[in-house]
Amino acid sequence: MLGLLFVGLLQENRFVLLGWDRQARLMSRSEDLDAVARTLRHLIEQAAPVSKWETPVFAGSMHSVTFTSVLPTGAAERAVRRADVELIVDGGHRLILVWTPHLHAFRVGPPPRPERTELLDGVERLDLSYLGTANGGVWQSAWHDAALPRLVRMRMVFSDPGHASWPDILAAPVLEAE
């Protein structure tokens, strides 16, 4: 009888530990998604011309977008890091930020190799849509205009069908140069 009680307690302990581990993994994934959402929102919100003499470069399709923005920096870093960025999902189901420094000069020599930063894995695709002032405020699947869009909507579709869905991320670019 004591043996059965001991086996029952071991099974209950195992069940509690498995539940604890699952909860920790879910919380960690949620924190990762939250950090990615903040990063994506920051990049879009900082998509603006560097000066009033530069026109914005903002070209978006249904699944990728290219623009000039300010890279997020750590609290210790003081310098603003302007970069030409692209958001894509690669063949390995990773959301990738591809960027090169944005220079206020004509390049002499070859451009620097783009840096690739993995933001999130397990992403099937990134669905993007753009809201402008033309067309009566209808969401568009592509953006190729000299003006910045009013809003950008980003939806992550995960490769694991069992993965919980994540709400759309909405961000508004700065519409005027400083």
Side-chain angles (χ1 to χ4, degrees):
M1 184 67 164
L2 187 59
L4 288 174
L5 180 63
F6 186 67
V7 167
L9 286 173
L10 283 176
Q11 288 298 331
E12 184 177 324
N13 247 359
R14 183 173 172 266
F15 179 74
V16 168
L17 290 175
L18 286 174
W20 186 312
D21 181 55
R22 178 162 168 74
Q23 169 106 13
R25 280 187 282 125
L26 287 173
M27 287 180 65
S28 174
R29 181 69 172 181
S30 179
E31 289 170 2
D32 289 347
L33 289 171
D34 188 49
V36 168
R38 282 194 315 271
T39 299
L40 293 175
R41 195 173 292 113
H42 170 86
L43 287 168
I44 296 293
E45 288 171 351
Q46 298 300 314
V50 177
S51 69
K52 62 183 176 183
W53 297 282
E54 274 188 286
T55 57
V57 175
F58 196 103
S61 69
M62 289 175 51
H63 303 297
S64 68
V65 62
T66 303
F67 53 95
T68 300
S69 186
V70 175
L71 293 177
T73 58
E77 293 185 46
R78 299 273 188 240
V80 172
R81 295 184 59 191
R82 282 226 163 257
D84 298 320
V85 302
E86 181 178 16
L87 293 169
I88 60 169
V89 174
D90 71 3
H93 300 287
R94 296 175 302 213
L95 177 62
I96 304 288
L97 169 66
V98 181
W99 64 274
T100 56
H102 180 81
L103 301 178
H104 303 285
F106 292 107
R107 293 191 191 275
V108 178
R113 291 180 48 91
E115 296 286 333
R116 297 174 62 88
T117 304
E118 180 181 329
L119 298 178
L120 191 62
D121 64 349
V123 178
E124 180 69 28
R125 69 180 187 274
L126 177 65
D127 290 339
L128 298 158
S129 53
Y130 313 90
L131 183 67
T133 54
N135 300 336
V138 175
W139 288 98
Q140 301 172 37
S141 60
W143 190 265
H144 299 287
D145 195 329
L148 294 169
R150 291 276 181 203
L151 279 175
V152 177
R153 179 173 52 199
M154 298 167 274
R155 174 179 296 144
M156 284 182 274
V157 178
F158 296 98
S159 52
D160 177 11
H163 190 283
S165 62
W166 190 252
D168 290 355
I169 301 165
L170 292 174
V174 175
L175 297 176
E176 293 183 21
E178 298 173 357

